[in-house]
Amino acid sequence: MPHRTDAADRRGLILDFAGVLTASPIAVHREWCVSEGLAPGAWRSTLNDHPKGRRLYAALEAGEIGQAEWNEGTAPLLGAHVNPVNLMGRAWADVPAARRMIALAHAARAAGHRLALLSNSFGLDPFNPYEHVGIWDLFDVHVVSELVGMAKPAPAIYRLTLDRIGLPAERCVFVDDHAVNLPPAAELGVSTVHVTDEDAAVAELEDLLGVTAVLAA
């Protein structure tokens, strides 16, 4: 039987999704671009640097448009020959899960800690990334930008997450791979972990939460 924490020792573990519960998608996206006859960096440059691409992605994150509409609008920005059907799903399908981080989340939940998913969405339909990786049911609380109409690093989304997790900020840990998303949580009193290496982040969380991540055989 796993040891469960006393209520006084219970902590809230707030996890980002992409780059935390998955491996970094950069290499997979570069390979996907090449398979589509694009330059390796086309995915990131279109979403991050192209003015319309940035607007479309921001609208997707905030739930102003759905993934299907985003697919239709973004495909021609990547290339005239790019098929918009399930564009997001095709680009993300081969991004692997972060197995050690997911094992850490299982261990934390088994020990009695409360878990929240705090994710800037990249759409739920037709491709649901959370179901694809199989992590949705791990969490007591789900705060997905598309569903709540705001995205990190807006301070309000962190306050909403704390309200839903039901623990004071000082008892919570927030984990994200983007440094820009950490200060708003820290300003509320939440401890933060910046993921630049999965193994190092898992080790830090094991110390913070008093649990051990055990990979399934």
Side-chain angles (χ1 to χ4, degrees), residues 99-108 202 206 211-217:
R99 295 179 63 241
R100 292 206 68 233
M101 186 64 75
I102 292 172
L104 180 283
H106 277 286
V202 167
E206 287 177 327
V211 302
T212 300
V214 179
L215 288 174

Side-chain angles (χ1 to χ4, degrees), residues 74-93:
T74 301
L77 303 181
L78 286 163
H81 66 284
V82 176
N83 185 351
V85 174
N86 194 28
L87 174 64
M88 187 69 80
R90 299 198 328 268
W92 273 89

Side-chain angles (χ1 to χ4, degrees), residues 29-102:
H29 287 162
R30 290 177 66 86
E31 292 174 5
W32 177 83
C33 285
V34 172
S35 75
E36 292 278 331
L38 303 169
W43 181 265
R44 292 183 67 80
S45 64
T46 300
L47 274 57
N48 295 334
D49 302 328
H50 191 292
K52 184 176 181 181
R54 289 178 65 181
R55 287 196 300 272
L56 284 168
Y57 198 77
L60 177 65
E61 284 187 327
E64 296 169 4
I65 62 174
Q67 191 185 87
E69 184 178 349
W70 180 89
N71 290 340
E72 291 287 342
T74 301
L77 303 181
L78 286 163
H81 66 284
V82 176
N83 185 351
V85 174
N86 194 28
L87 174 64
M88 187 69 80
R90 299 198 328 268
W92 273 89
D94 292 332
V95 176
R99 295 179 63 241
R100 292 206 68 233
M101 186 64 75
I102 292 172

Side-chain angles (χ1 to χ4, degrees), residues 16 24 31 37 52 59-60 63 75 92 97 113 115 118 120 124 135 142-143 154 158-159 184-185 197 203 207:
D16 176 38
S24 170
E31 292 174 5
K52 184 176 181 181
L60 177 65
W92 273 89
H113 300 298
L115 270 63
L118 175 53
N120 280 2
L124 298 169
I135 52 82
H142 305 88
V143 181
Y158 303 90
R159 292 194 292 268
D197 175 83
D207 288 341

